[in-house]
Amino acid sequence: MVLEKLAISQNRKDESPNVELAEQLVVNSDREGISELIRGLQLSKGIANDCIKVLYEIGECAPLLIADYVAVFLDCLMSRNNRLVWGGMTALNSIADCEAKAIYTQIDKVKTAYENGSVITVDNSISVFSKVSKANPQYEKEIFPFLMKHLETCRPKEVAQHAERIVVCVNEGNRALFIQILDKRCTELSSAQSKRVAKLIKRVNVQAAEV
């Protein structure tokens, strides 16, 4: 059984067994084992925590192996177990490119987790929003303004990192607004942060010139 290989089942406090299990499941394309992990999310907190860890590690390497469980990961965002919330968001980040439509239909769950979640939840939610926005002009109309409001109001130390996550959905139609907001925020940033943002703006402008 896959659950027997989890860290908690081996009385281990480190994540090595979970990472190794994820690697094995990816190598073997073990969909039955992945299904067992999904069922494990409904078991005790310790088992569920290890299961979500293995699942998002799989998603990092082979997103299509967990893509069918997008609805499960969206439900994780509503959990009272914070580990499942940020783990679920991490998993969604790995599959957002191929499951944008499914995520968009329940985008309110992502927004709720963004509004109430931990730093890891928020970081990954920005990537999820950005990938979904990129997938469809209709999705962009709703999500890109939301992302720009976040970029205008997030903590200065988050501006560069989150802008780098958002840039995947920047295009000809919204580039000017993206750059305008970054230019405005630069007055609040440290020298190192400003340089990081300037480098990103330069990259966006170079890409636009090449189109």
Side-chain angles (χ1 to χ4, degrees), residues 37-45 47-48 51 72 75-76 84:
L37 291 171
I38 291 292
R39 292 193 295 273
L41 295 174
Q42 304 299 321
L43 301 179
S44 69
K45 184 176 181 180
I47 291 175
C51 284
V72 175
D75 285 344
C76 283
L84 289 187

Side-chain angles (χ1 to χ4, degrees), residues 125-148:
S125 74
I126 298 304
S127 290
V128 171
F129 286 128
S130 301
K131 291 173 182 178
V132 173
S133 177
K134 176 186 177 182
N136 187 299
Q138 176 188 339
Y139 307 164
E140 180 189 336
K141 286 180 182 179
E142 175 182 349
I143 297 172
F144 195 79
F146 179 89
L147 286 169
M148 292 305 94

Side-chain angles (χ1 to χ4, degrees), residues 1 4 7 9 18 20 46 68 73 75 78 81-82 86 150 160:
M1 287 179 61
E4 293 175 353
S9 300
N18 297 329
E20 291 169 5
D68 288 347
F73 300 130
D75 285 344
M78 300 293 100
N81 177 356
N82 183 54
W86 67 258
H150 170 82

Side-chain angles (χ1 to χ4, degrees), residues 15-29:
E15 296 283 9
S16 295
N18 297 329
V19 174
E20 291 169 5
L21 176 57
E23 292 171 350
Q24 292 171 11
L25 294 171
V26 169
V27 168
N28 297 322
S29 296

Side-chain angles (χ1 to χ4, degrees), residues 144-163:
F144 195 79
F146 179 89
L147 286 169
M148 292 305 94
K149 182 178 179 181
H150 170 82
L151 201 56
E152 286 179 316
T153 57
C154 65
R155 294 176 296 177
K157 69 177 183 178
E158 296 173 331
V159 171
Q161 183 213 146
H162 287 180

Side-chain angles (χ1 to χ4, degrees), residues 53-103:
K53 166 67 175 176
V54 178
L55 287 163
Y56 71 68
E57 288 287 342
I58 292 170
E60 187 72 25
C61 301
L64 292 179
L65 285 178
I66 64 167
D68 288 347
Y69 300 103
V70 57
V72 175
F73 300 130
L74 284 161
D75 285 344
C76 283
L77 303 185
M78 300 293 100
S79 175
R80 285 184 285 184
N81 177 356
N82 183 54
R83 184 70 175 85
L84 289 187
V85 176
W86 67 258
M89 192 70 81
T90 304
L92 287 171
N93 182 13
S94 73
I95 63 175
D97 285 319
C98 57
E99 291 295 335
K101 182 177 180 180
I103 294 172

